[in-house]
Amino acid sequence: MPLLRLASSLGADDPENIVAEAYFQLCKRWHHLQQKQAAAAYLRTTIHNLARMHHRRQHTIHHHARSTTAEMVLSAETTALQHHDHHTLHQALQQLPARQKQALVLRHWHDLTQNEIAALLQVTVGTVKTHTHRAVNALTHTLAPLR
């Protein structure tokens, strides 16, 4: 009973399991104990450590559950607006000349450097800069009324 009270006082929501685990750990290590009188101290220390580990695990589980739930649950309105914005941007991209669209997509969606884009498109870095700048200006002009 004193060990159950210890586990409960440490805030364990399942003190019986913690005490049982402590006894199991003691049985595994029984032959390593130098003094058999140290068994009670070993049990108390083990219960303390198990309760702490349990609290940490529960905190981590609750933390991840809250962050995952917040990320996954979007309202229908938010989802519809995101889909509409994506569709609108896709339409605006389709109106760009091919080289401007390629430069913009490679730069901002694929995170390539200007040098990598120039090598890929077989143009100079200055041409990549020009195409990217013109594409951004065209998209800004096309999408400005929608803001």
Side-chain angles (χ1 to χ4, degrees), residues 15 17 42 49 72-73 79 88 106 114-115 124:
N17 286 337
Y42 182 88
N49 290 337
M72 289 186 346
V73 178
T79 305
T88 305
L106 291 172
Q114 292 172 341
N115 290 334
T124 65

Side-chain angles (χ1 to χ4, degrees), residues 105-125:
V105 168
L106 291 172
R107 180 74 178 119
H108 294 285
W109 276 272
H110 295 284
D111 291 326
L112 297 180
T113 65
Q114 292 172 341
N115 290 334
E116 292 170 330
I117 297 169
L120 190 64
L121 298 179
Q122 298 178 342
V123 296
T124 65
V125 174

